Amino acid sequence: MADQQTFQHGGGSHRTTEPAPAAQLSCTGCRSRKLKCDRVKPRCGRCIRLQDPCIYPGSRQKQVGKRKRVIELEAKLGELENLIRATKAEEQREIPRGDYATETDWDSFMSSLDHVDSLPIDSSVGATQQPSLQEGDYGPTELVGLGLFEQLPSFQLMEDLIEIYFDKLHYASPMLHRSRYTAAVHLPYPVRPPMCLQYIVMALGAAATETYRQLATPFYRRARAYAESDEMTEQGEQFTTVAHAQCWILMANFEAQQTLFSRASTSLCRSLRIAQMLELHRIDQNDQSDQTLSSILAPPKEWSELEERRRTWWVIFCSDRFVSGTTGWPALINARDITTVLPASNEAFQTGIMEQTGSLMSILTQQRQDYSEFAARILAAHLFHRTFEHISQSSLDDNPQDFKNGSYWKAHRGLDNDLAAMLMFLPNNIRLPRSFRCQNALFVNVNIHTAVICLHRAALLKIRHLNLSDNLIHQSQLRLLPAAEGILGIFRMIIDLETALKNPMMAFSAYMAALVFLEDYTTDYNHQSEDNLQFLLRLLVTLAKTNVVTRSLAIQLASDMKHGGFDSSVMDQARRQETFPLTYQDVLTNI
């Protein structure tokens, strides 16, 4: 070996080890770090200890570490490219794709929108290169982490879609603080809202207007991909945030609009569990000793931030109640577990002026009669769920044969009285026609009438099945027709019918009112009911082209009318999905 020498001593040979000769120059690693090098070849002691490559220069030259730095950067760039290719291939396999979703070719998509005046998509970013950090200032962990080398929307497009969302759809899920969210979108990573929330807000905004409707599905898919990626990051702290709870509930709303009800239900479950982990249902709990775990949320910086957390919980609560009421699936939230007070008014929320509110139970027991528009929506959702719970969970033990003393009919009369009382004692800011410009006022009144229809239609079935008194049938019919006419009158007040019926519950209400008019016409040949029925059918058919929920309900209503003795042309009309102007006056002239 080179390090060993043999020498003679006393006639015998001995082999021993001596240090290798030192080099004349320090290695490049020690020189670049300005450290003392022992100059032992082939590797110095420091490089052996740190397991670094040890390279000795051939001569004394300046900037000996520059070439090594270039080599290191090239090696790291190669590793990053390999990682990107692998993660991109994995993302293509794992991103969920609905039946209606297709892969978006942005070049062909943009060329297909020539009729749209300068659609503001930033075309400076190619599909195969890293997005510009100057345009959106997106951090590498946000985009590169998924392998999504995507063409980012321009700020102008983002602002347009955010404005559309808040102007047209925010009232149904009023949890985002408009000014704070709009400003936060322009902040640098990681202060801005997570990418999943940004994309689902833009997807909902795009779906609400004809100009950007083709962007809705790809933006939704991006939102879902980012949300699912956050779930797989580290130990879960990445997705247990209020913003992610908001993202999943908005995702559920979008999926429900596309009739993806099973997927919407699972998205709702995700949102609910995140909210419960954050203890949003116990924000205003007085007895802290009952809390088994302290909240993982930091204290709010201001009252409006605390109010946003409350509103996030109540948006989830409303969705849970409506899903349970329309599907028959068990509710996920027990109202007795909630200590979070009802939301304040929209004005107080936006201005940040603190406003005292009461609990859900205090309103139900009429201890308080002043509540906000959003609180009225919560109460309507709660009563709607109670109605369906009463209808679906009745049994022989409820003694339905005894109309006077049976528990079924006692519960029936109690619900009917609660619905009538709520409609009668609504606050002034929810009353119609005074507040016809308030979208939540329209929704609350429609929802109460719909609950009345569902309650008494179920009562009629029960009465006829048990052969009870005809007087009971007459009593329920007296409640049905005014409720249906109330829904029809409200639809006549609505200025933007297309946006209003984006909410599946509003379309469902129109269908339920149409069934009442159909039954009244087939029983008493009331021609006013026939005109009202034709109006509602034309309304659903008008919106069927851009709304899959109304399309399915229009076909179902036409089928019901055909079985009720109407001409078969109504079925053909619904299936053709004829389109007409979307104002009430234009719909009325086509009847």
Side-chain angles (χ1 to χ4, degrees), residues 73 129 136 143 209 225 249 330 348 410 459 550 577-578:
L73 291 175
Q129 65 183 21
L143 296 176
T209 178
I249 194 61
K410 286 183 178 179
T550 57
Q577 301 164 20
E578 298 175 2

Side-chain angles (χ1 to χ4, degrees), residues 189-367:
Y189 174 81
V191 184
R192 69 161 63 89
M195 294 297 296
C196 55
L197 179 59
Q198 292 187 55
Y199 268 122
I200 195 58
V201 168
M202 290 191 290
L204 287 165
T209 178
E210 183 66 29
T211 304
Y212 302 123
R213 188 160 288 136
Q214 295 185 65
L215 295 173
T217 296
F219 282 177
Y220 157 72
R221 290 175 52 206
R222 288 183 182 180
R224 194 170 182 93
Y226 279 117
E228 291 177 347
S229 174
D230 289 343
E231 287 185 347
M232 303 302 294
T233 303
E234 297 178 355
Q235 301 299 317
E237 62 274 11
Q238 184 77 16
F239 74 92
T240 50
T241 67
V242 175
H244 282 81
Q246 295 169 340
C247 166
W248 280 113
I249 194 61
L250 293 179
M251 203 103 66
N253 292 348
F254 182 91
E255 291 159 348
Q257 292 177 8
Q258 306 299 323
T259 66
L260 301 172
F261 297 118
S262 298
R263 191 184 299 178
S265 182
T266 58
S267 296
L268 168 63
C269 294
R270 277 172 153 153
S271 176
L272 172 59
R273 185 55 74 188
I274 293 174
Q276 289 174 332
M277 287 190 290
L278 298 175
E279 294 189 335
L280 299 186
H281 62 301
R282 301 196 294 182
I283 291 177
D284 301 295
Q285 179 167 299
N286 294 324
D287 186 6
Q288 299 295 328
S289 62
D290 290 342
Q291 294 189 6
T292 56
L293 293 174
S294 59
S295 177
I296 63 176
L297 285 175
K301 298 178 181 178
E302 52 188 0
W303 176 83
S304 61
E305 184 177 347
L306 177 64
E307 177 68 9
E308 182 170 342
R309 296 177 183 180
R310 292 192 183 109
R311 285 171 168 257
T312 300
W313 169 256
W314 287 116
V315 168
I316 298 170
F317 175 88
C318 288
S319 296
D320 177 57
R321 287 305 189 251
F322 286 130
V323 168
S324 177
T326 53
T327 63
W329 299 335
L332 303 176
I333 300 175
N334 188 339
R336 292 191 297 270
D337 295 335
I338 302 174
T339 59
T340 300
V341 299
L342 292 172
S345 65
N346 294 333
E347 294 76 12
F349 179 46
Q350 294 301 326
T351 58
I353 300 175
M354 184 176 179
E355 184 176 281
Q356 296 293 334
T357 59
S359 65
L360 176 63
M361 296 309 298
S362 68
I363 303 297
L364 292 175
T365 56
Q366 298 185 357
Q367 297 176 17

Side-chain angles (χ1 to χ4, degrees), residues 106 110 119-127 131-132 134-136 150-157:
W106 284 101
M110 293 303 298
L119 184 64
I121 294 284
D122 184 7
S123 58
S124 63
V125 183
S132 171
Q134 296 179 351
E135 174 66 25
E150 57 197 29
Q151 192 166 0
L152 296 174
S154 66
F155 276 145
Q156 182 61 49
L157 175 61

Side-chain angles (χ1 to χ4, degrees), residues 476-551:
S476 287
Q477 288 174 340
L478 289 177
R479 292 283 285 140
L480 281 170
L481 199 57
E485 290 173 346
I487 293 175
L488 180 65
I490 293 172
F491 278 120
R492 288 172 175 169
M493 299 180 192
I494 297 177
I495 299 174
D496 188 354
L497 288 170
E498 183 177 13
T499 300
L501 269 77
K502 278 288 183 183
N503 189 325
M505 286 301 302
M506 294 290 280
F508 174 74
S509 298
Y511 173 73
M512 294 302 296
L515 290 183
V516 174
F517 292 130
L518 175 60
E519 292 170 358
D520 184 63
Y521 174 73
T522 55
T523 302
D524 299 331
Y525 295 100
N526 186 336
H527 292 289
Q528 183 60 51
S529 292
E530 181 185 15
D531 292 342
N532 294 338
L533 175 61
Q534 291 285 1
F535 169 79
L536 290 174
L537 175 65
R538 184 58 57 89
L539 173 63
L540 294 176
V541 170
T542 299
L543 300 174
K545 182 179 179 181
T546 58
N547 192 321
V548 290
V549 175
T550 57
R551 179 163 63 244

Side-chain angles (χ1 to χ4, degrees), residues 458-478:
L460 284 175
L461 291 175
K462 186 74 69 175
I463 292 169
R464 289 165 179 160
H465 176 70
L466 298 174
N467 294 320
L468 299 180
S469 172
D470 292 340
N471 184 47
L472 302 180
I473 296 178
H474 182 65
Q475 290 179 17
S476 287
Q477 288 174 340
L478 289 177

